[in-house]
Amino acid sequence: MKKVVLFKSESEDYEQAFLKYKYSTVFVEPLQFELMRSGELADSLLREYSGLVLTSPRAVEAVAKCWDPTRFAIWNSRKVYTVGDASSHKIKLLLGLDARGVSSGNAENLANTIVRENPANSKFLFPCGNLRSETLPTILESSHISIDALTVYETKENDNLKEDLMKVNDLHRPCCMVFFSPSGCEYIHRQLQTFSNRLTELPHFAIGNSTACKIENLGIEVAGVAAKPKADSLVESIHKYFMSVQAT
């Protein structure tokens, strides 16, 4: 059974999706997060906004930290946008709200969905991380939709990343590596330069286009990109690659 390294937190959904294609998985979390500015976020949630934009599970967790269903009942009738199943699930579980834009796939598509569904002069609250992309705010503002970005968590390199990478290199023989964020790519690439390893020669796959661009910017070829940011799409991309290699 081929083994795949997934640079993300452990996920039963991903593990099961890969098992269907007879791949085993090794999870390595390259990032760690620190929530911040809960008081300021709570105050912002009481202001007049057309809606809320939450583009990562961490942003949802930051909102959940200060969430009070009674105090913030106004959000039951306001729009909440997100991208991806993981964030959507957390919004429902932790906030009790239904999210739109789940299947948009990336920030650009999500921004276009928001523009399409809301009039000019709408105003959105955007709790986000310190490494956020400017894609979504730029598209919204160009369509005269204002967005208040509030940094509510900080992304850092996992303190154990080098040790975890060395363990994977010494104990496993993976067939490829999968990257889930531009920042994760950078931290992993930097650590792999610090010790002799076989990992750098493996095919590199990305969960989405922004992550793929980061891999390419590091001078590494991208073997494949998931058509959608979902486990099944990712496995299909990897399986298709190895089937084509096997056929040549």
Side-chain angles (χ1 to χ4, degrees):
M1 186 179 287
K2 289 182 177 177
K3 191 170 291 185
V4 178
V5 180
L6 302 176
F7 289 113
K8 69 181 306 297
S9 56
E10 291 191 17
S11 165
E12 187 175 344
D13 288 345
Y14 276 85
E15 183 178 358
Q16 293 303 317
F18 275 89
L19 278 175
K20 288 179 185 177
Y21 283 82
K22 294 184 168 47
Y23 291 95
S24 63
T25 48
V26 178
F27 294 94
V28 175
E29 175 58 86
L31 309 174
Q32 60 188 47
F33 306 94
E34 183 177 331
L35 301 183
M36 56 200 293
R37 302 169 82 175
S38 289
E40 190 174 345
L41 176 57
D43 291 341
S44 296
L45 287 166
L46 292 172
R47 296 184 187 133
E48 286 297 322
Y49 285 104
S50 307
L52 184 65
V53 181
L54 299 168
T55 57
S56 74
R58 252 61 57 185
V60 181
E61 290 166 11
V63 173
K65 186 177 179 181
C66 64
W67 188 254
D68 181 329
T70 303
R71 187 184 183 197
F72 301 124
I74 51 174
W75 286 100
N76 291 325
S77 58
R78 293 181 181 176
K79 296 174 182 176
V80 180
Y81 288 92
T82 193
V83 55
D85 290 332
S87 296
S88 175
H89 177 71
K90 284 207 168 190
I91 290 170
K92 186 65 175 178
L93 181 68
L94 300 179
L95 309 181
L97 303 175
D98 294 316
R100 302 167 176 238
V102 179
S103 61
S104 50
N106 57 51
E108 181 178 355
N109 291 341
L110 179 61
N112 289 329
T113 297
I114 295 172
V115 169
R116 190 167 58 249
E117 295 183 357
N118 296 275
N121 300 320
S122 297
K123 188 174 184 179
F124 285 83
L125 177 62
F126 181 31
C128 54
N130 60 312
L131 301 179
R132 73 174 185 273
S133 162
E134 293 301 320
T135 300
L136 189 142
T138 299
I139 293 173
L140 294 186
E141 288 167 2
S142 69
S143 298
H144 308 291
I145 293 177
S146 61
I147 184 161
D148 287 347
L150 179 64
T151 301
V152 294
Y153 69 91
E154 186 174 3
T155 304
K156 300 178 179 179
E157 180 181 324
N158 190 325
D159 292 336
N160 300 317
L161 180 57
K162 182 175 181 177
E163 180 183 346
D164 291 342
L165 289 171
M166 293 179 75
K167 284 181 181 177
V168 170
N169 184 68
D170 294 340
L171 302 178
H172 304 282
R173 287 193 171 274
C175 64
C176 65
M177 302 191 294
V178 185
F179 298 81
F180 288 80
S181 70
S183 53
C185 292
E186 187 168 341
Y187 297 146
I188 293 159
H189 178 72
R190 186 166 63 208
Q191 289 295 355
L192 287 176
Q193 309 308 305
T194 65
F195 67 98
S196 178
N197 64 83
R198 299 183 301 271
L199 302 178
T200 52
E201 304 302 320
L202 297 176
H204 288 47
F205 292 85
I207 191 63
N209 290 328
S210 60
T211 302
C213 286
K214 183 62 179 182
I215 295 172
E216 290 175 339
N217 289 341
L218 292 170
I220 301 167
E221 183 179 351
V222 177
V225 183
K228 294 181 179 179
K230 295 184 177 182
D232 290 341
S233 295
L234 178 60
V235 181
E236 288 171 9
S237 173
I238 293 172
H239 189 65
K240 183 178 179 180
Y241 170 84
F242 283 111
M243 289 296 287
S244 65
V245 169
Q246 190 175 339
T248 57

